[in-house]
Amino acid sequence: DCSLAAEQLKNNPRHKAYLEGVSLRQLKKLYSLLKGHLGGESLAESLEKFHQEETIDPEEDLNKLDDKELAKRKSIMDELFEKNRKKKDDPDFIYDVEVEFPQDEQLESCGWDVESGEEI
């Protein structure tokens, strides 16, 4: 497992001083590329495989994943959220953002909000 190997390398006291400025994500990517190279993959194939593993497919049903894969997807989402989050200290931070949505388009209706003839 590349993530486990990356964590062990980063937390190793012998290498800690050298790897302080290297993120865990970079080490995982390095291990993934090395694993692909040892498996006979080209650099382009290894990079594409890593990119697919590290991105979230919005159409994927997360209910069908096992606990390990679900935890992986959640960590990717958390990392993406933190990357895009605006903090109070950011120079382009705006406290109260107002967005106008266009009303020209036809609104989609959902099955759950359509009134039926049945009373509960």
Side-chain angles (χ1 to χ4, degrees):
D1 185 21
C2 294
S3 59
L4 180 62
E7 286 178 29
Q8 288 176 346
L9 182 66
K10 183 138 177 105
N11 295 330
N12 187 328
R14 185 175 177 195
H15 306 296
K16 200 168 192 167
Y18 302 108
L19 298 176
E20 279 182 326
V22 180
S23 71
L24 194 57
R25 179 170 161 58
Q26 287 176 317
L27 289 174
K28 286 180 195 176
K29 186 174 183 179
L30 176 65
Y31 268 107
S32 177
L33 294 176
L34 288 173
K35 184 178 177 182
H37 179 71
L38 291 174
E41 295 177 356
S42 70
L43 180 60
E45 291 171 337
S46 296
L47 285 171
E48 180 63 30
K49 186 176 176 183
F50 180 79
H51 180 68
Q52 287 176 351
E53 290 175 357
E54 293 295 315
T55 54
I56 302 290
D57 179 16
E59 300 299 320
E60 183 179 26
D61 187 1
L62 299 178
N63 291 321
K64 295 180 180 178
L65 297 177
D66 62 354
D67 290 340
K68 183 178 179 182
E69 286 297 315
L70 183 61
K72 183 178 177 182
R73 299 295 193 290
K74 284 183 176 182
S75 70
I76 293 169
M77 287 187 267
D78 288 341
E79 186 175 313
L80 185 61
F81 173 78
E82 287 299 324
K83 177 182 167 188
N84 294 326
R85 188 174 95 169
K86 301 280 186 192
K87 298 176 186 141
K88 280 199 257 184
D89 301 334
D90 292 341
D92 57 345
F93 176 77
I94 302 172
Y95 177 72
D96 189 16
V97 177
E98 293 183 17
V99 178
E100 297 267 339
F101 293 98
Q103 295 297 324
D104 305 354
E105 303 168 14
Q106 176 137 359
L107 297 176
E108 290 183 28
S109 65
C110 297
W112 60 268
D113 65 351
V114 176
E115 287 188 33
S116 64
E118 301 173 17
E119 294 282 330
I120 297 180

